[in-house]
Amino acid sequence: MLCSGLVLPLTADVFCNGLVLPPSDEGGGKIFDFDGGIKTKYNHNKSLVNVGRMLRKNMTKEERHLWYDFLREYQVRFIRQKIIGNYIVDFYCAKADLVIELDGSQHFDEIGIKKDQERTQHLESYGLKVIRIPNNEINNNFRGVCEFIDYEV
């Protein structure tokens, strides 16, 4: 039995290819990709949906540049302003379990560094790899940034 593209609630056991999968306590649902593997849909704070929508409409100059000039047409799908838990990440790639965060100047003071460390630890607890790219790298070394992302994916 093929389960491709199926999103199932976590309140019931799931049958796929003869396997019984127990419900997860992570929230969300199970998403089956095309080869029958399982990707977890991350639990997210529904109250952040409107904030995520607003952030997509009002991206920073650096986010727009990276999105429209590289990630939007990238060979592997990226999502912008993805809600994961209580955080909204700048860019997310499910296939690579990768989060890309662009960091402006507010991320480099003592408070910003501490918040970023907590956020990164939380995202890594989902098994995600988080890469942080300073905005000045987008502005001054865009090709190098694209090559770095390509390497990470």
Side-chain angles (χ1 to χ4, degrees):
M1 171 167 65
L2 185 62
C3 299
S4 296
L6 211 60
V7 178
L8 303 166
L10 294 177
T11 55
D13 290 338
V14 179
F15 295 87
C16 182
N17 296 333
L19 299 173
V20 178
L21 304 172
S24 169
D25 58 1
E26 288 294 318
K30 293 283 186 190
I31 298 177
F32 294 86
D33 63 16
F34 293 104
D35 65 359
I38 299 171
K39 296 269 185 196
T40 302
K41 181 178 175 184
Y42 302 104
N43 190 18
H44 72 272
N45 183 339
K46 289 179 177 35
S47 69
L48 294 176
V49 170
N50 287 333
V51 176
R53 188 174 295 127
M54 185 269 306
L55 290 171
R56 279 190 297 281
K57 289 180 181 179
N58 299 294
M59 291 190 295
T60 66
K61 177 182 73 153
E62 292 80 11
E63 289 171 340
R64 279 193 310 274
H65 185 23
L66 185 59
W67 177 251
Y68 288 108
D69 298 330
F70 186 63
L71 294 178
R72 185 174 126 190
E73 299 294 327
Y74 192 70
Q75 60 200 4
V76 178
R77 184 171 186 239
F78 274 86
I79 299 170
R80 56 194 170 128
Q81 308 304 336
K82 168 76 172 158
I83 302 169
I84 300 176
N86 287 321
Y87 296 103
I88 301 174
V89 301
D90 292 334
F91 301 101
Y92 167 72
C93 177
K95 186 166 186 162
D97 289 324
L98 181 67
V99 168
I100 300 172
E101 291 283 79
L102 302 187
D103 291 342
S105 60
Q106 74 275 16
H107 292 269
F108 298 108
D109 63 22
E110 193 173 318
I111 294 170
I113 290 169
K114 184 173 193 247
K115 285 183 178 180
D116 285 346
Q117 287 172 339
E118 292 170 4
R119 176 185 180 100
T120 297
Q121 286 175 345
H122 179 78
L123 295 169
E124 287 175 343
S125 75
Y126 286 115
L128 299 171
K129 180 171 187 172
V130 178
I131 58 173
R132 308 193 80 80
I133 301 171
N135 281 345
N136 66 336
E137 287 295 317
I138 298 289
N139 296 322
N140 301 323
N141 185 19
F142 187 70
R143 182 175 177 172
V145 168
C146 295
E147 289 172 357
F148 176 66
I149 292 169
D150 208 27
Y151 174 79
E152 292 296 329
V153 172

